[in-house]
C-alpha cells in the first residue's frame, strides 16, 4: 500500500524555521519524483519544491533561497527545510509523489499520491 505521512508542522514566529518530514511507504524512489506543496485557506495548492530520482531539484520562485528539499533514501523520508518563515507561509503543507517518467514539474497535476498534510502557522 502506497502511503505518505507528513509531520513537523507547527506554530512558529516570523523569521523562524521548520523542517517538515514525509515518510513514504510502498514507493520505489527510482520510479517516483517527490515534492512539497502547500495550500492556504481559499487558495489553490501550489508546488514549492521537487526532487527527481536523479537528484535534480526544482524550487518555486516564491520560496527560493528559503527552502531546501532533501531525502534520506534509507529512511524513506523526504524533508523540507524552511527558513526565515513569513506570515504568508501559513498553510497546510503536503507531500506528493508522481511518476518520474513524466515531465519534472511543480504542477500539482503531475503528482498522483498525496499525504494528509501538516499545518504550518507563522505569526508575527
Amino acid at each position: 500500500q502506497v502511503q505518505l505521512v507528513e509531520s513537523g508542522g507547527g506554530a512558529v514566529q516570523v523569521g523562524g524555521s521548520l523542517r517538515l518530514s514525509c515518510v513514504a511507504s510502498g514507493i520505489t524512489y527510482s520510479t517516483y519524483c517527490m515534492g512539497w506543496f502547500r495550500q492556504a485557506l481559499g487558495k489553490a495548492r501550489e508546488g514549492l519544491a521537487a526532487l527527481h530520482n536523479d537528484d535534480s531539484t526544482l524550487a518555486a520562485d516564491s520560496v527560493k533561497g528559503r527552502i531546501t528539499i532533501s531525502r534520506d533514501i534509507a529512511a524513506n523520508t523526504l524533508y523540507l527545510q524552511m527558513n526565515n518563515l513569513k506570515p504568508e507561509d501559513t498553510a497546510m503543507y503536503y507531500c506528493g509523489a508522481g511518476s518520474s517518467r513524466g515531465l519534472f514539474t511543480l504542477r500539482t497535476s503531475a503528482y498522483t499520491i498525496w499525504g494528509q498534510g501538516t499545518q504550518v502557522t507563522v505569526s508575527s
Side-chain angles (χ1 to χ4, degrees), residues 2 23-24 40 45 48 51 53-54 56 75 90 105 111 115 120 122-123:
V2 176
V23 178
R45 189 170 299 188
L48 300 176
L51 179 60
N53 55 15
D54 64 5
S56 57
T90 295
T105 176
Y111 295 80
V120 172
V122 184
S123 59

Side-chain angles (χ1 to χ4, degrees), residues 12-72:
V12 296
Q13 292 189 329
V14 169
S17 299
L18 281 175
R19 188 176 80 156
L20 306 183
S21 300
C22 171
V23 178
S25 58
I27 288 180
T28 303
Y29 276 114
S30 62
T31 58
Y32 281 92
C33 295
M34 305 291 293
W36 283 100
F37 303 79
R38 69 184 179 191
Q39 187 167 15
L41 281 175
K43 295 188 177 181
R45 189 170 299 188
E46 62 171 334
L48 300 176
L51 179 60
H52 198 278
N53 55 15
D54 64 5
D55 290 328
S56 57
T57 60
L58 295 172
D61 289 340
S62 60
V63 293
K64 197 172 291 184
R66 297 194 295 123
I67 66 165
T68 303
I69 188 171
S70 62
R71 66 180 174 185
D72 181 337

Side-chain angles (χ1 to χ4, degrees), residues 84-96:
N84 190 23
L85 285 163
K86 305 174 181 180
E88 53 263 41
D89 293 319
T90 295
M92 185 71 80
Y93 283 69
Y94 297 92
C95 172

Side-chain angles (χ1 to χ4, degrees), residues 109-121:
S109 57
Y111 295 80
T112 56
I113 303 167
W114 297 95
Q116 83 290 346
T118 185
Q119 177 69 36
V120 172
T121 303

